[in-house]
Amino acid sequence: MLRHMSEFPSARLPLTQLPAWQALKVHFAEVENLELRGLFAQDAARGERMTAEGAGLYLDYSKNRVTDETLRLLLQLVREAGVEARRDAMFGGERINVTENRAVLHTALRAPRGATVQVDGQNVVPDVQEVLDRLSDFAQGVRAGTWTGSTGKPIRNIVNIGIGGSDLGPVMAHEALKHYADRNLTLRFVSNVDGTDLVEKTRDLNPEETLFIVSSKTFTTQETMANARSARVWLLAGLGKVQDENATIAKHFVAVSTNATEVSTFGIDTANMFGFWDWVGGRYSMDSAIGLSLMIAIGPEGFRELLAGFHDMDEHFRTAPLEENLPVLLGVLGVWYRNFFGAQTHAVLPYDQYLAYFPAYLQQLDMESNGKHVTLTGEHVNYDTGPVVWGQPGTNGQHAFYQLIHQGTALIPCDFLGFCQTLNPLPPHHDLLMANVFAQTEALAFGKTLEQVQAEGVGADLAPHRVFEGNRPTNTLLADRLTPRVLGALIALYEHKVFVQGAIWNINSFDQWGVELGKVLAGKIVPELQAEGEPELGHDSSTNALIRRYRARRG
Ligand code: F6P
């Protein structure tokens, strides 16, 4: 049931009618052509002044096309848009996900044991901690070899089956925290309904030593259920004749879900199910039981450290003044480029190989959250919302797509992420890596003028090709070291950045109706592909022809 909007702190003037928005429009016309070269020349302290720090992360936002007045107006926009009240409503357990009538409380997943977070008058923290304790016991058992497979062999392979929020977080964090993982365990993540994914990820595994974690909030997702069923077949075929199928499955399959009924229908003992709650969105769930595979890899203590990092950033977001608030600053800078400069994409460029999947993780977090075209009250927006988020680790990206960021015609704001200490000291690699972070942001901001190019003796023909206009905006985020705690803070930083932007745009960042239509249509087409005779097809002529061609040629 859609609750009346006046019940929510987001009831407010339309975005474009807010005084700060109007003022920003006027201001934009004045500063649009300002150059970072000039801004830095005028203010020797800019690079130290326009920085903020919180939860172990240092943000340098000085290489953005903003003045002090821009920031003042952007923060005024945050106030007028009611972002703070909305933030407090989220932390307070109000049902701010109006289209699903749910609270949004991923922050409760990392609240300390003794904290109180109320949902409908009930403190949910004890439930969260109870599940964490059960997860820890289970993870410990697997790590210690006391949880064995059905033939008594210790589990050595853990395969998480899930998709979207039930996959991307564990995949990303497992890669990010590999350094802290038990290397005697093999972790695999199966997500794609393409059978190749399951086949390739299981082909070298011994079923006797393999545990499947079926992760699905709903336990109805087509891809996950198909993979889970095939994994069951693979396991039973690999084990040969078993005496008691249910007892065998119980040793090799556990579930993470909110849907106990579907879990037991599938054949997994609900004693081996780890729950979470409808107030945890899929893309905000990696710090719930969805993180079980990660917890097995890095251990319960490492997982608790990760949660502590999330909580550090939650507290920073909740309490730091807007001027020093990292998620707020990243959020408003994104709005500045998206809505005033018309930037369509935003790149996230981690200079750490362990963060290889961080951009992919952020794609779901950001694009599923803020890829919306109506406001909370259902009006079509008359401004742009979420950008396309993309990226891959430096320095590889430098040799692929940075050319376009430096000299192309699109404005692409970028976040550069780096660490002062490496986890793998191999001199001089880390200095080389970090030199590239600093060099790239310097080059993007200040470029190289025609005069500089000519002064180098470059001829008139070539000179235009060698000019770097610069004025390409970047943020640089530095942390000392990639630890579980720092990773937690980094993820929470982006969660809250997305929140700030969604609140400014007055959209619901917590539903995802846009993925439904395709799911429904696929459900209709499956029986048409599998029908014995020639099925009657009622689609458009293109879809009908494609289905017929596929049926005729699939062999
Ligand atoms: O892609 C849509 C979506 O609902 C995501 O929001 C979610 O993370 C994913 O599917 C998986 O859902 P489930 O955990 O219910 O299998």
Side-chain angles (χ1 to χ4, degrees):
M1 179 197 61
L2 197 56
R3 295 175 68 197
H4 194 270
M5 281 318 300
S6 59
E7 292 175 57
F8 293 93
S10 55
R12 60 169 221 207
L13 277 177
L15 179 60
T16 54
Q17 288 175 29
L18 293 175
W21 183 275
Q22 300 283 339
L24 277 162
K25 267 173 61 181
V26 175
H27 174 72
F28 176 69
E30 292 160 5
V31 300
E32 168 182 20
N33 295 319
L34 287 185
E35 302 246 326
L36 284 167
R37 280 189 210 110
L39 291 170
F40 272 82
Q42 278 160 24
D43 175 6
R46 184 179 169 99
E48 276 160 31
R49 215 163 51 74
M50 287 193 172
T51 62
E53 216 165 339
L57 304 179
Y58 173 86
L59 167 67
D60 173 353
Y61 59 94
S62 63
K63 294 191 184 91
N64 279 288
R65 291 168 67 170
V66 292
T67 64
D68 289 339
E69 178 64 0
T70 319
L71 287 164
R72 193 187 67 73
L73 289 172
L74 286 168
L75 297 180
Q76 190 54 31
L77 183 68
V78 169
R79 293 189 182 95
E80 289 176 13
V83 176
E84 293 151 293
R86 204 166 158 72
R87 173 195 66 195
D88 295 343
M90 174 175 75
F91 277 93
E94 289 184 40
R95 293 174 182 260
I96 63 165
N97 176 356
V98 285
T99 59
E100 297 178 320
N101 192 24
R102 287 176 183 165
V104 174
L105 268 181
H106 41 280
T107 52
L109 299 169
R110 54 262 195 157
R113 204 178 270 282
T116 302
V117 182
Q118 307 268 4
V119 179
D120 298 333
Q122 207 196 323
N123 182 13
V124 298
V125 176
D127 291 350
V128 169
Q129 294 295 328
E130 196 250 331
V131 174
L132 270 173
D133 289 341
R134 279 186 59 223
L135 288 166
S136 302
D137 288 347
F138 180 75
Q140 210 49 62
V142 173
R143 285 165 66 84
T146 52
W147 176 283
T148 61
S150 54
T151 60
K153 287 200 173 166
I155 295 296
R156 284 286 148 257
N157 315 310
I158 295 100
V159 183
N160 185 74
I161 298 181
I163 197 163
S166 299
D167 167 69
L168 288 163
V171 170
M172 177 276 290
H174 175 247
E175 187 68 21
L177 299 176
K178 225 182 208 171
H179 180 77
Y180 305 90
D182 180 342
R183 303 296 180 110
N184 293 315
L185 299 173
T186 298
L187 266 90
R188 298 272 165 82
F189 298 88
V190 175
S191 53
N192 199 335
V193 76
D194 182 344
T196 299
D197 202 10
L198 181 70
V199 169
E200 285 294 339
K201 303 261 175 65
T202 51
R203 60 180 304 141
D204 57 344
L205 303 184
N206 176 355
E208 288 180 273
E209 300 177 335
T210 301
L211 173 76
F212 290 97
I213 303 175
V214 185
S215 298
S216 174
K217 182 174 169 180
T218 55
F219 231 74
T220 56
T221 303
Q222 185 207 52
E223 294 92 329
T224 301
M225 291 305 107
N227 277 321
R229 279 191 290 272
S230 298
R232 198 176 194 274
V233 171
W234 174 87
L235 182 94
L236 292 173
L239 289 177
K241 219 173 158 39
V242 297
Q243 263 184 351
D244 180 344
E245 239 179 55
N246 289 341
T248 303
I249 294 300
K251 298 302 281 180
H252 292 273
F253 275 81
V254 299
V256 178
S257 185
T258 56
N259 192 343
T261 315
E262 288 295 330
V263 168
S264 80
T265 307
F266 178 84
I268 296 178
D269 187 346
T270 46
N272 298 336
M273 166 179 161
F274 301 93
F276 57 115
W277 305 270
D278 74 353
W279 40 261
V280 182
R283 56 195 173 273
Y284 298 88
S285 67
M286 61 157 287
D287 45 353
S288 71
I290 290 290
L292 176 58
S293 52
L294 174 68
M295 189 193 269
I296 295 172
I298 64 168
E301 273 173 34
F303 196 81
R304 289 257 178 202
E305 272 294 295
L306 177 83
L307 297 184
F310 272 100
H311 182 66
D312 292 342
M313 184 54 75
D314 293 344
E315 285 303 284
H316 170 84
F317 178 48
R318 214 170 53 76
T319 61
L322 298 185
E323 291 72 15
E324 296 159 28
N325 198 305
L326 270 63
V328 170
L329 289 167
L330 288 188
V332 296
L333 288 165
V335 166
W336 179 235
Y337 295 117
R338 183 81 182 106
N339 296 116
F340 294 90
F341 283 89
Q344 299 198 344
T345 81
H346 183 97
V348 178
L349 308 165
Y351 278 67
D352 191 298
Q353 192 59 30
Y354 286 126
L355 290 182
Y357 299 133
F358 195 59
Y361 172 78
L362 289 186
Q363 282 183 327
Q364 187 200 15
L365 177 65
D366 200 318
M367 293 165 76
E368 199 166 88
S369 295
N370 286 344
K372 308 288 161 66
H373 66 272
V374 296
T375 66
L376 284 164
T377 40
E379 291 92 26
H380 206 288
V381 292
N382 57 353
Y383 42 84
D384 284 318
T385 60
V388 173
V389 176
W390 61 286
Q392 62 164 272
T395 57
N396 299 31
Q398 290 174 205
H399 298 271
F401 53 78
Y402 279 39
Q403 165 65 37
L404 187 146
I405 303 179
H406 281 285
Q407 286 189 319
T409 51
L411 180 77
I412 303 177
C414 307
D415 293 350
F416 282 75
L417 317 181
F419 297 91
C420 298
Q421 299 159 24
T422 176
L423 296 172
N424 294 300
L426 187 64
H429 284 258
H430 199 59
D431 289 343
L432 301 184
L433 178 71
M434 294 306 291
N436 277 282
V437 174
F438 307 136
Q440 287 296 327
T441 62
E442 190 178 13
L444 287 164
F446 306 111
K448 198 174 193 183
T449 62
L450 184 60
E451 294 71 45
Q452 287 171 313
V453 172
Q454 285 166 341
E456 286 173 359
V458 176
D461 285 359
L462 206 50
H465 300 274
R466 302 285 296 267
V467 168
F468 286 71
E469 288 170 351
N471 226 14
R472 267 68 169 164
T474 60
N475 292 306
T476 304
L477 273 162
L478 288 182
D480 285 348
R481 201 173 164 82
L482 179 54
T483 61
R485 192 160 188 145
V486 163
L487 181 70
L490 192 60
I491 300 166
L493 167 64
Y494 280 94
E495 286 180 350
H496 296 320
K497 172 203 164 176
V498 166
F499 176 88
V500 168
Q501 296 189 330
I504 291 174
W505 289 323
N506 205 23
I507 54 180
N508 185 359
S509 302
F510 301 104
D511 61 13
Q512 56 285 319
W513 300 108
V515 297
E516 290 306 316
L517 180 59
K519 283 188 196 172
V520 171
L521 293 182
K524 234 180 108 186
I525 293 173
V526 170
E528 294 171 351
L529 300 186
Q530 294 177 338
E532 285 296 335
E534 197 57 40
E536 203 172 307
L537 299 175
H539 306 276
D540 59 277
S541 58
S542 158
T543 311
N544 286 346
L546 289 166
I547 291 173
R548 282 196 202 102
R549 185 172 175 88
Y550 170 75
R551 281 180 53 98
R553 301 175 72 96
R554 68 183 152 187

